[in-house]
Amino acid sequence: MKSGVEPLVNDGFAGEPAKRCVGYVQSQREKGKNVVGIYCTYGPLEVVRAAGAVPAVLCAFADKTIAAAEEDLPANLCPLIKSSYGFIKTDTCPFYSLADVVIGETTCDGKKKMFELIAGIKPTHVMDLPQLPDQKEALENWTEMVKKLKGFLETTLKTQISDEAVEAEIQHSNVKNKLLNTILDFAALTPTPLTWQEMYDLTYLGQAASTADMMKVMEDALAKVQKRVADGVFHGQPDSPRVLVTGTPVGGDATKVFKIIEESGGVIVALDLCTGLKPYAGHIEEGAADPYRAISKRYLEIPCACMTPNDRRLSELDRLIEKFKPDAVIDVVLHACHGYSIESTKVKKHIEGKHKLPYLKIETDYSQSDVGQIRTRVAATLEMVHK
Ligand code: SF4
Ligand code: SF4
């Protein structure tokens, strides 16, 4: 991007989405709203918002709390879990401090067992996530879990959640998701007018902020990106290799991978991640007889590697590849995330076989010790695009 181009979200926090979100959640708290900590994209935000609460994502991406976590947790555990736990242990997580209650989902063993260690600190509600999403019982069971969440929030936050409020939040989510995707779809242009940082910033904020509060941010961002296109302003070079990033959530210290891709001459055009497009990909049925069932159906479609089979991940990759036209796919897997790590065998075969695209798997954590090695491997992959 040429220097002097205004960031899409120009509030002084460009590149610091966590700080922006802390400010947002804090401001909501000062208005009297309860705060509900969530750990996963499967956490049904519409029910949280229908309770009059603001969601705060508790997944952490900082290396600095890992050492404290490793006093209690095995070193060979996913850094996202260790970092999140370390923040709680050292009482330094601003989101956790603001949270009145916490929701966890049984996605992977590490998270499940971590919830047990923190359950006594704040009221913590664990939702049993079905992991065979295509079995007919899955929808029944997850609907039941979402309804149990309603009961938990009503009891602990001393509130009532009406079906009308849930329906209104479904409609709000659909509006937000549609507009956010309209903005992010501009990365399908060659060259792209968006940076990975802008895509990351917007999607990060969208998890916490209500549709009403996101509206002005999104409308401003849309106007700016439209102006960039009209003015011929773009990111990278017209022939920069276009990269789709898929895999585990990538944020904070792990964004070293995004930076390396960019420093190696690539441009990131799609983030197929929970810290990217995944939370915004679906549409929830409006006006359904049972709004909880409609919510459950949409959330069960999230293609996380904790599901089996997880064929939706491959069909979602097909959709994104067709739209964003990447020249290469980079699969980022956090250390010790066995679900995503094993699934990468299927993803590699799919990308190289069906799409004939270069594929690179990067296993990493939040330290900076592997930056040199990642740089060499990314450069070699992007070099293939030019051959
Ligand atoms: S990768 Fe899976 S477990 Fe992790 S936040 Fe996303 S949906 Fe949840
Ligand atoms: S990245 Fe993998 S191991 Fe880590 S919390 Fe998410 S699903 Fe679990």
Side-chain angles (χ1 to χ4, degrees):
M1 192 76 66
K2 284 186 224 158
S3 61
V5 177
E6 208 186 342
L8 284 197
V9 186
N10 198 6
D11 58 359
F13 289 109
E16 296 188 292
K19 282 191 186 165
R20 177 188 290 124
C21 275
V22 170
Y24 176 79
V25 175
Q26 177 81 48
S27 70
Q28 298 301 300
R29 185 127 189 83
E30 284 159 11
K31 286 181 188 164
K33 287 203 170 189
N34 287 119
V35 177
V36 175
I38 58 168
Y39 273 104
C40 176
T41 307
Y42 288 105
L45 300 179
E46 294 72 24
V47 181
V48 171
R49 293 203 169 98
V54 58
V57 176
L58 300 175
C59 291
F61 304 102
D63 193 50
K64 65 183 178 189
T65 58
I66 298 264
E70 286 181 354
E71 289 169 9
D72 300 344
L73 303 175
N76 185 22
L77 180 66
C78 152
L80 188 153
I81 301 171
K82 287 191 289 188
S83 180
S84 307
Y85 177 82
F87 269 107
I88 295 171
K89 180 173 178 179
T90 55
D91 199 13
T92 51
C93 176
F95 293 109
Y96 192 79
S97 302
L98 288 165
D100 297 285
V101 299
V102 172
I103 304 172
E105 304 78 11
T106 56
T107 50
C108 63
D109 289 349
K111 268 194 179 167
K112 254 185 329 216
K113 300 312 283 184
M114 191 268 276
F115 297 147
E116 290 178 23
L117 301 186
I118 61 167
I121 308 173
K122 299 213 175 196
T124 302
H125 179 75
V126 178
M127 302 173 72
D128 187 11
L129 179 71
Q131 299 191 350
L132 276 66
D134 302 320
Q135 304 277 320
K136 68 176 172 27
E137 298 83 4
L139 181 57
E140 306 308 323
N141 293 347
W142 189 233
T143 304
E144 196 54 37
M145 284 297 139
V146 176
K147 288 182 177 172
K148 273 193 178 171
L149 171 65
K150 167 189 189 280
F152 167 77
L153 294 175
E154 286 182 330
T155 306
T156 50
L157 303 181
K158 298 187 177 27
T159 187
Q160 287 296 309
I161 302 175
S162 67
D163 281 3
E164 291 70 30
V166 176
E167 176 63 31
E169 292 304 334
I170 288 173
Q171 294 179 12
H172 292 158
S173 283
N174 286 339
V175 168
K176 183 200 285 180
N177 295 358
K178 193 167 173 216
L179 186 47
L180 208 50
N181 276 292
T182 301
I183 299 164
L184 301 175
D185 281 356
F186 274 87
L189 294 174
T190 304
T192 172
L194 294 173
T195 68
W196 68 261
Q197 184 75 65
E198 291 172 330
M199 298 192 281
Y200 176 59
D201 279 11
L202 273 173
T203 52
Y204 200 113
L205 180 62
Q207 292 279 78
S210 67
T211 300
D213 292 336
M214 274 299 279
M215 223 48 208
K216 180 154 175 19
V217 175
M218 293 190 295
E219 283 169 353
D220 279 0
L222 181 60
K224 281 180 191 163
V225 76
Q226 284 169 333
K227 182 166 185 325
R228 284 182 191 174
V229 174
D231 293 348
V233 173
F234 54 85
H235 180 51
Q237 301 301 320
D239 63 348
S240 293
R242 300 166 62 83
V243 177
L244 180 151
V245 180
T246 185
T248 53
V250 177
D253 288 336
T255 60
K256 64 187 173 186
V257 178
F258 299 161
K259 290 172 192 153
I260 290 169
I261 292 169
E262 220 170 64
E263 287 160 11
S264 307
V267 288
I268 297 172
V269 292
L271 298 172
D272 176 36
L273 311 166
C274 282
T275 47
L277 292 166
K278 267 190 191 175
Y280 305 97
H283 176 88
I284 309 175
E285 183 190 352
E286 298 181 9
D290 182 351
Y292 291 92
R293 193 179 166 91
I295 289 171
S296 304
K297 188 165 181 303
R298 179 274 176 272
Y299 279 80
L300 275 183
E301 287 167 358
I302 295 167
C304 176
C306 66
M307 296 293 182
T308 184
N310 189 27
D311 295 338
R312 284 190 189 87
R313 178 151 178 225
L314 303 183
S315 49
E316 181 62 2
L317 279 166
D318 291 343
R319 185 183 77 82
L320 295 175
I321 287 170
E322 190 179 331
K323 178 181 280 186
F324 292 99
K325 302 175 285 299
D327 299 306
V329 172
I330 296 186
D331 193 0
V332 183
V333 178
L334 291 175
H335 273 165
C337 177
H338 300 313
Y340 274 93
S341 189
I342 295 167
E343 196 165 274
S344 64
T345 302
K346 264 183 147 175
V347 174
K348 174 179 163 56
K349 204 167 155 197
H350 189 75
I351 299 300
E352 291 179 343
K354 179 169 179 180
H355 294 283
K356 313 278 181 247
L357 289 173
Y359 165 93
L360 174 66
K361 174 183 179 182
I362 295 174
E363 282 196 83
T364 190
D365 59 13
Y366 296 167
S367 75
Q368 299 300 305
S369 59
D370 56 359
V371 161
Q373 186 216 74
I374 295 173
R375 200 183 298 284
T376 305
R377 297 182 65 220
V378 167
T381 301
L382 299 189
E383 185 60 29
M384 286 165 71
V385 172
H386 284 306
K387 279 186 181 160

